Amino acid sequence: MDAGCPRLPDTVLFEIFLYLDHADVLSVGLVCQQWHAVARDEFLWKELFYRYYRVSRDVPRHPGAVSWYDEFQRLYDTIPCVEVQALKEHNDQVLHLSFSHSGCLFASCSKDCTVKIWSNELDISLQHSSNMRPYNWSYTQFSQFNSDDSLLLVSGVFVGPHNSSSGEIAVISMENFTLLSRVRNKPYDVFGCWLNETNLISGNLHRIGRITSCSVLWLNNAFQGIESENVNVVKRLFKIQNLNASTIRTVMVADCSRYDSPDLLLDYEEQLAASSTCPVFDLGSDSEEEEAKPKPPPEPAVQELPDAGGVPAEHGLQQLFDDIMEGRVGPAITETELETKVAELFVRNRTKPPEPNLLPTDSNSKTKYLIFTTGCLTYSPHQIGIKRILPHQMTTAGPVLGEERRSDEFFDSLDHVIDIHGHIIGMGLSPDHRYLYVNSRAWPRDCVISDPMQPPPIAEEIDLHVFDLKTMKEVKRALRAHRAYTPNEECFFIFLDVSRDFVASGAEDRHGYIWDRHYNICLAKLQHDNVVNSVAFSPVEQELLLTASDDTTIKVWRSPRAVRVRQARGPRPRKLLFSWLMNQKS
């Protein structure tokens, strides 16, 4: 700052910035000269930024920022926190929102069993509504546009008893809104997702025992009714064993080829130094697996099974039964524990080993990751499973049951597992697919799970974790601000979304939340009258955000800057004349 120009207190400068637009300030003669000096004072704006936003001083400036003044203005002026429209065409809870890749359309799913397609213009309007009740659906829960926006995947839940887990996926053409195909999906909270322009992934569940099952993931062609007479329209992708009442849910696909050109890198020194709270282990390494698994306290009445090493599963089973009959396994072993031990022994020599070298080395690789929630200790999803999809697996061509399997490759293993130590209630990918954001509700630190049907209590605070899918490591300390209150057995999915610079999430505390991805700070709370289930950024305009709530509304939020631009344009004379004529008619 110039020597002859006295420094204004930080609070005064902030008040000037908040209540006077830059152009307005420059028009005030008394402070004009001083404002120019202040705007050039990087040290002052840096101090103001760190103090006001309470950012650690170890965090560097955003890599795309020109100055601290511009960065302060960005966080104040470009957050979509101004409500500009409320859409009330749904008559029940709105559960999910998804934008088309072009940003011109978005879809909404609801407990009213409709999927609605909206036109994203200056004023958003309803373009089409499909009622799924004629297909025995109870409600719609999830939607996703394919990569060229020509098709819409819609996931729903069948009408049935409260504990029913059956659902279905429908594919709708965006050209004329006709229903092209329907695919069974079990459990329904697999949701489903697109693998490429014309193939989608669904799930099926086969019970093996009371708490043991097998999840099968299927690749389906979207045009089944048209092509089924000529070519295969479905192919088994993976077959994975589930232990302790766990199942595979919430599938999504990440494109590895985009990792080397991320929109925003999150690996500055402060983040790398932060200790990871979520153990990450590679199932290809026995030592890492044993090291990362939570170790329950020893039970004196039950002896641990010796490591069978390369001993065939049949020998291990026979040894277990001999131990039981001869009293070497204490009477305290329960039916549930016995089933789990038998299942673990059976799968030991019946599983295809994981793919070597999971981490992509070629930036042009066509490899994709299938990402999903799973578990190994209880039915509540507490792990993230990652399975590589190779190029030859991305088509339904070939045998319906996929590649031939030897008897010792009955199941597929996971290539990587991330243990969250809590109930996972939401996941979302960054636009470049480099980072995975995970909503979870933590378990008590030293909890022990003795019964898979009784998971530990979960925290009300929601932790938002960030994982780098290129290194498979956690790169951010968990974000906190939002809360949830439902217990384990009633816990539901809260969808989050990620833009280039921001991440947003719903919550059960009647608010949506927005954080800055670089600074790790909460920037805005968005009010609703009930639970906020889903949020969605426009993929082409991150200053536009949608929120969906149990209060049956979809709210449209724009940034202060976008609102000013919109107001400056004003209504066109022709629209004013048309409105006046319509009023005269009525």
Side-chain angles (χ1 to χ4, degrees), residues 497-519:
D497 197 25
V498 189
S499 71
R500 185 187 69 246
D501 295 313
F502 307 128
V503 55
S505 174
E508 291 185 43
D509 58 13
R510 303 183 179 185
H511 288 89
Y513 289 82
I514 303 174
W515 293 264
D516 183 83
R517 291 179 59 196
H518 177 75
Y519 296 109

Side-chain angles (χ1 to χ4, degrees), residues 54 57 110 354 576:
R54 299 179 182 178
R57 293 179 182 273
S110 169
L576 282 175

Side-chain angles (χ1 to χ4, degrees), residues 402-538:
E403 304 169 5
E404 280 195 32
R405 293 169 178 263
R406 304 196 307 265
S407 61
D408 59 347
E409 293 184 351
F410 188 76
F411 296 109
D412 293 290
S413 60
L414 305 187
D415 295 325
H416 209 81
V417 172
I418 300 172
D419 198 310
I420 298 296
H421 194 73
H423 193 129
I424 299 170
I425 60 170
M427 293 198 302
L429 288 166
S430 60
D432 53 25
H433 287 205
R434 172 73 178 265
Y435 298 98
L436 177 67
Y437 287 73
V438 181
N439 267 337
S440 74
R441 296 173 61 184
W443 291 338
R445 182 179 297 273
D446 298 317
C447 67
V448 175
I449 300 174
S450 56
D451 183 352
M453 304 310 294
Q454 295 183 354
I458 49 180
E460 288 187 354
E461 296 83 7
I462 301 175
D463 294 327
L464 183 52
H465 302 275
V466 191
F467 296 94
D468 186 340
L469 292 178
K470 186 173 183 179
T471 63
M472 296 295 170
K473 295 180 180 178
E474 187 171 13
V475 293
K476 284 279 190 181
R477 69 180 186 278
L479 300 169
R480 274 191 175 181
H482 47 333
R483 302 175 73 87
Y485 307 108
T486 50
N488 265 306
E489 62 274 10
E490 300 173 18
C491 202
F492 53 86
F493 219 68
I494 293 178
F495 293 94
L496 57 93
D497 197 25
V498 189
S499 71
R500 185 187 69 246
D501 295 313
F502 307 128
V503 55
S505 174
E508 291 185 43
D509 58 13
R510 303 183 179 185
H511 288 89
Y513 289 82
I514 303 174
W515 293 264
D516 183 83
R517 291 179 59 196
H518 177 75
Y519 296 109
N520 236 37
I521 53 176
C522 184
L523 297 170
K525 291 175 64 176
L526 312 175
Q527 178 72 52
H528 270 271
D529 294 330
N530 211 322
V531 173
V532 177
N533 295 304
S534 180
V535 297
F537 286 102
S538 166

Side-chain angles (χ1 to χ4, degrees), residues 5-80:
C5 184
R7 181 185 297 274
L8 292 174
D10 292 354
T11 53
V12 175
L13 291 174
F14 182 60
E15 291 296 316
I16 291 175
F17 181 79
L18 276 183
Y19 296 110
L20 292 177
D21 187 83
H22 193 177
D24 295 331
V25 171
L26 294 181
S27 68
V28 181
L30 292 176
V31 296
C32 180
Q33 183 178 359
Q34 191 177 27
W35 178 261
H36 277 291
V38 167
R40 293 197 306 268
D41 191 339
E42 274 290 277
F43 176 78
L44 186 147
W45 284 106
K46 180 179 179 180
E47 287 295 307
L48 183 58
F49 185 94
Y50 281 125
R51 290 185 191 182
Y52 178 72
Y53 288 110
R54 299 179 182 178
V55 177
S56 169
R57 293 179 182 273
D58 295 332
V59 180
R61 194 174 68 194
H62 189 289
V66 177
S67 67
W68 283 105
Y69 167 72
D70 289 338
E71 191 65 347
F72 199 107
Q73 189 175 40
R74 177 182 74 86
L75 292 190
Y76 164 71
D77 217 20
T78 66
I79 309 302

Side-chain angles (χ1 to χ4, degrees), residues 215-245:
S215 287
V216 180
L217 297 171
W218 293 91
L219 186 63
N220 308 268
N221 193 296
F223 303 98
Q224 296 199 4
I226 302 171
E227 300 184 355
S228 58
E229 295 182 4
N230 304 314
V231 297
N232 284 343
V233 294
V234 63
K235 183 173 75 174
R236 186 174 67 190
L237 199 56
F238 300 118
K239 188 175 184 180
I240 298 169
Q241 189 196 44
N242 305 311
L243 299 175
N244 290 320

Side-chain angles (χ1 to χ4, degrees), residues 550-564:
D550 279 359
D551 63 16
T552 75
T553 65
I554 300 169
K555 289 190 176 183
V556 184
W557 308 83
R558 295 187 183 272
S559 68
R561 179 171 67 180
V563 170
R564 285 199 310 275

Side-chain angles (χ1 to χ4, degrees), residues 343-376:
E344 287 174 339
L345 284 168
F346 176 78
V347 78
R348 179 178 293 161
N349 288 342
R350 293 290 184 272
T351 300
K352 185 178 180 180
E355 296 290 343
N357 189 23
L358 173 68
L359 302 182
T361 55
D362 181 4
S363 60
N364 296 318
S365 171
K366 294 182 179 180
T367 301
K368 296 183 179 181
Y369 289 159
L370 182 65
I371 301 172
F372 46 84
T373 63
T374 182
C376 63

Side-chain angles (χ1 to χ4, degrees), residues 241-243 246-248 373-378 380-384:
Q241 189 196 44
N242 305 311
L243 299 175
S246 64
T247 60
I248 286 177
T373 63
T374 182
C376 63
L377 302 175
T378 179
S380 66
H382 55 278
Q383 292 179 325
I384 298 166

